[in-house]
Amino acid sequence: MTALVALVESVESGRDVERTALNSLEEIAYLFGEMSSDERREFRDLLERVAAAEPELADFIHSLPGSLGFYLES
């Protein structure tokens, strides 16, 4: 949520959006790495539900964690 707020505020204020986006993505990647096994399982299940609801975006949704260097075990 913090990353989302930072992105919205940077766009609205005209700040360096690219730098803010990169910092936000790094924070998200860090938080992924801090997840417990149960949280990872819940997140994987959430991604599956979102991908099922948005089939045209399923490949993108499934690739998000890996794009940040975080891989969910199956």
Side-chain angles (χ1 to χ4, degrees):
M1 185 54 108
T2 303
L4 181 59
V5 170
L7 286 172
V8 169
E9 287 177 351
S10 69
V11 170
E12 290 176 351
S13 69
R15 283 187 264 151
D16 184 357
V17 177
E18 289 178 15
R19 182 184 250 343
T20 302
L22 180 58
N23 289 343
S24 297
L25 290 172
E26 288 174 348
E27 181 177 344
I28 291 168
Y30 170 78
L31 293 172
F32 278 159
E34 295 295 305
M35 285 183 187
S36 69
S37 295
D38 288 340
E39 290 169 327
R40 289 179 185 169
R41 197 171 14 264
E42 287 177 37
F43 184 69
R44 185 188 63 233
D45 293 345
L46 172 65
L47 286 180
E48 290 299 325
R49 289 193 306 272
V50 172
E54 300 287 343
E56 67 282 354
L57 297 174
D59 289 340
F60 174 74
I61 292 165
H62 287 125
S63 73
L64 287 173
S67 296
L68 295 168
F70 178 76
Y71 297 93
L72 299 170
E73 62 275 353
S74 297

